[in-house]
Amino acid sequence: MYNTHDILETIKMIEEEHLDIRTVTMGISLLDCIDNDIDKACEKVYRKITTSAADLIPVCEKIEKKYGIPIINKRISVTPIAMLASACQTSNIVKFALTLERAAKTLGVNFIGGYSALVGKGFAAGDYALIESIPEALSITDHVCSSVNIGSTKAGINMDAVKMMGKIVRQTAELTADRNCIGAAKLVVFCNAPEDNPFMAGAFHGVGEPDCVINVGVSGPGVVRAALEKAGDMDLTGVADLVKRTAFKITRVGQLVAKEASIQLGVPFGIVDLSLAPTPAVGDSVAHILEEMGLEQCGACGTTAALALLNDAVKKGGVMASSHVGGLSGAFIPVTEDAGMIDAARAGTLTIEKLEAMTAVCSVGLDMINIPGDTPAEVISAIIADEAAIGLINSKTTAVRVIPAIGKKVGDELEFGGLLGSGPVMKVNTASPLKFISRGGRIPAPIQSLKN
Amino acid sequence: MKAVLTVVGKDSVGILAKVSAGCAEFNVNIMEVSQSVLSDMFCMIMICDISSLKGDFGTFADEMKALGQNMGMSIHVMHEDIFNSMHNI
């Protein structure tokens, strides 16, 4: 009944090729915690989170033991806090961030996401206050992650928000300049943000989601690379087939863990996110998969094509392995979190322009990129606008998580540690987009949004 | 309910005896054993019935892992579902 080869292959994937569950993320709705007294709202938020997720860590640890597979992160995502802030008659919104931090520490989770605002078409009550509080919130907390959705294919791009976010990203880095500007590594600016994303820093719990839900993100770039290495020479049809088969196996583990966690926690199963998420560890890199396909180094001509093949094959293999697929689902290319990308960026083979092209065919966007500390806010806004435009036109999620390395210049390094990794400061084109960004207004929704 | 127990390492006297004794302590019944020795490397796969397991699965897995470390071998105990999920449609 059992095939020895299959058993040993699974163990090898886990032991040697870094197969793991990247995250089990519990999404918790805070809509029932809204109160016009912020202190009362915070107390309700703390109680709701710590009650709903009380068993999250012990259950995950039990599942790790049962199946012998590591679950690297246990996380929580909550309703965008701007919605709670809209009811409060105070400007001291950071109290919510401190409450989320306190809840994260009590539970022992790795991150808590949802210090967020959705302003794709404009600002509602609470949105301005929340966005303006992001730099302070991320500098006084360690576990809180923040995201702002500034556009969508349906709504267009809110360029007033884009302009604002350039400044906010800079301020966030400045306030944490003494800690390698880490605040900016916990802040993502989205176009077409998914409401069920289990990955940080962009996770939040959408308003269309149930009261509480379990979403799981798998990993496994090392497994895909090892499979390609073993297979040796084959044409690209063969490569795509092999990636599909491997993605199927990886995703099945995610589905198993998600179902088990859902049963044991008594919380509905939401989605499995099919993303190939790298880590800075050697052997766990998306760039190394592209190099295994035959590129001298990630960033070389051909990188976009190789990534497109990889991303599509991962989805095709994964989608059959899970009953509900969602979140970001694709290959991640966070520069500082991927050993192969770090090397390619240091060598100058991988540039921001190439990364931008890559984001047109993979899951997210310009992710974990260190930029010079003197990059003006309007240039950061313009980077966000470019990336959002790719998402807008292609009806896909795109995001920007750049870290202005305050006091540093091209070639210097920022070291975040842990899964966030480290990497060089990359060159940015600084020809001024000031007038374009200052215009504000909205870029209209594209013609392809009119599908009805 | 079944678990898959694998033992990999350098061949020596008494591996099977020590592993089976470990299983017996936890009231785990060994249903199938497949083993091979390839140029000194010992590889054994056991399918075990854990329906009457004494204590919890995590403790059993930890104890077997520790037993492996004492013997200079690598022992993994995993629930059968992970293999069924990954390798069967």
Side-chain angles (χ1 to χ4, degrees):
Chain A
M1 196 170 70
Y2 290 96
N3 180 322
T4 309
H5 172 265
D6 290 347
I7 290 172
L8 295 177
E9 183 189 57
T10 301
I11 291 169
K12 193 166 179 223
M13 282 180 178
I14 296 168
E15 291 290 305
E16 293 171 26
E17 296 162 6
H18 304 279
L19 174 63
D20 53 49
I21 299 297
R22 177 53 46 83
T23 177
V24 172
T25 304
M26 180 183 269
I28 303 170
S29 169
L30 299 182
L31 291 174
D32 51 351
C33 302
I34 292 176
D35 199 300
N36 58 10
D37 178 336
I38 190 167
D39 294 319
K40 279 189 193 155
C42 284
E43 199 38 50
K44 287 190 213 171
V45 165
Y46 179 79
R47 231 178 311 130
K48 175 94 188 255
I49 297 172
T50 49
T51 314
S52 307
D55 293 332
L56 180 64
I57 302 266
V59 162
C60 285
E61 282 169 354
K62 225 164 115 187
I63 294 173
E64 280 181 303
K65 284 272 158 60
K66 183 170 177 185
Y67 297 119
I69 184 150
I71 299 173
I72 307 296
N73 284 295
K74 294 91 180 170
R75 298 165 170 172
I76 289 170
S77 65
V78 297
T79 305
I81 292 295
M83 291 181 188
L84 282 77
S86 64
C88 299
Q89 287 137 4
T90 169
S91 54
N92 196 10
I93 303 298
V94 288
K95 279 188 179 172
F96 281 115
L98 291 169
T99 305
L100 296 180
E101 177 76 6
R102 189 156 65 96
K105 280 188 178 151
T106 305
L107 294 168
V109 294
N110 306 94
F111 279 120
I112 184 160
Y115 199 76
S116 306
L118 311 178
V119 294
K121 214 166 185 176
F123 299 90
D127 290 338
Y128 268 120
L130 183 115
I131 293 176
E132 273 167 359
S133 75
I134 288 173
E136 187 188 349
L138 296 184
S139 71
I140 56 173
T141 57
D142 294 321
H143 299 83
V144 176
C145 290
S146 176
S147 57
V148 176
N149 189 61
I150 50 82
S152 68
T153 302
K154 277 283 180 198
I157 302 174
N158 177 353
M159 289 300 288
D160 294 320
V162 168
K163 184 179 164 192
M164 196 172 172
M165 286 315 296
K167 289 183 191 145
I168 296 293
V169 169
R170 262 205 75 86
Q171 282 170 16
T172 307
E174 280 163 5
L175 282 186
T176 48
D178 56 334
R179 284 168 279 154
N180 278 303
C181 311
I182 195 150
K186 296 181 287 173
L187 171 61
V188 192
V189 187
F190 272 118
C191 176
N192 288 325
E195 302 205 336
D196 52 6
N197 165 23
F199 286 103
M200 294 296 172
F204 64 87
H205 186 72
V207 283
E209 297 284 308
D211 190 55
C212 194
V213 72
I214 286 291
N215 298 322
V216 167
V218 295
S219 177
V223 180
V224 176
R225 196 204 60 81
L228 288 174
E229 186 185 39
K230 251 180 282 171
D233 288 336
M234 50 166 53
D235 71 4
L236 291 173
T237 307
V239 168
D241 276 342
L242 185 59
V243 174
K244 273 197 287 189
R245 280 203 301 274
T246 313
F248 176 84
K249 291 177 187 171
I250 295 170
T251 311
R252 288 286 274 203
V253 182
Q255 168 81 9
L256 176 71
V257 168
K259 262 172 57 188
E260 181 87 24
S262 152
I263 293 167
Q264 291 200 23
L265 288 162
V267 168
F269 157 55
I271 55 101
V272 173
D273 188 317
L274 304 180
S275 301
L276 277 186
T279 68
V282 173
D284 205 16
S285 150
V286 169
H288 287 159
I289 301 176
L290 307 179
E291 290 165 11
E292 194 62 49
M293 283 190 205
L295 301 170
E296 185 187 348
Q297 193 162 39
C298 180
C301 295
T303 301
T304 312
L307 183 60
L309 180 155
L310 172 69
N311 199 43
D312 184 61
V314 166
K315 284 182 208 166
K316 284 174 177 162
V319 80
M320 192 172 154
S322 171
S323 42
H324 297 284
V325 170
L328 296 162
S329 286
F332 288 172
I333 49 169
V335 176
T336 66
E337 296 178 10
D338 185 308
M341 302 243 174
I342 296 169
D343 289 343
R346 278 186 191 140
T349 319
L350 186 62
T351 60
I352 290 189
E353 288 74 12
K354 189 64 181 175
L355 281 160
E356 186 180 319
M358 290 160 75
T359 64
V361 300
C362 78
S363 82
V364 194
L366 293 174
D367 197 15
M368 290 303 288
I369 296 173
N370 301 329
I371 57 173
D374 58 359
T375 308
E378 66 270 16
V379 171
I380 299 173
S381 292
I383 293 173
I384 294 169
D386 280 345
E387 202 49 41
I390 292 174
L392 176 87
I393 299 296
N394 295 300
S395 308
K396 72 186 287 293
T397 306
T398 47
V400 172
R401 180 164 51 150
V402 291
I403 300 100
I406 304 302
K408 302 204 174 194
K409 52 186 192 315
V410 175
D412 292 346
E413 299 258 336
L414 278 184
E415 173 91 45
F416 307 110
L419 286 181
L420 295 172
S422 63
V425 175
M426 295 173 75
K427 188 175 175 298
V428 172
N429 180 342
T430 50
S432 178
L434 183 59
K435 188 170 175 195
F436 177 71
I437 294 301
S438 304
R439 285 176 189 269
R442 252 165 69 203
I443 295 182
I447 192 76
Q448 53 267 45
S449 70
L450 303 173
K451 286 186 174 163
N452 292 345
Chain B
M1 263 208 311
K2 283 183 256 175
V4 176
L5 189 153
T6 59
V7 186
V8 180
K10 204 171 175 320
D11 195 15
S12 64
V13 175
I15 298 173
L16 189 52
K18 285 177 192 157
V19 174
S20 350
C23 288
E25 263 180 51
F26 281 87
N27 203 31
V28 166
N29 185 27
I30 299 164
M31 301 165 76
E32 275 181 64
V33 182
S34 130
Q35 69 168 72
S36 59
V37 183
L38 266 179
S39 59
D40 256 17
M41 280 305 283
F42 177 90
C43 175
M44 176 168 73
I45 296 174
M46 286 176 162
I47 311 294
C48 312
D49 180 1
I50 49 164
S51 10
S52 316
L53 177 74
K54 212 161 47 178
D56 92 356
F57 189 85
T59 318
F60 173 51
D62 285 345
E63 287 286 326
M64 295 311 284
K65 191 175 174 189
L67 173 70
Q69 277 160 355
N70 289 340
M71 292 157 57
M73 315 278 293
S74 159
I75 300 186
H76 294 276
V77 186
M78 292 150 87
H79 195 279
E80 63 168 340
D81 284 351
I82 189 166
F83 304 102
N84 291 334
S85 292
M86 279 179 87
H87 303 286
N88 295 313
I89 293 178

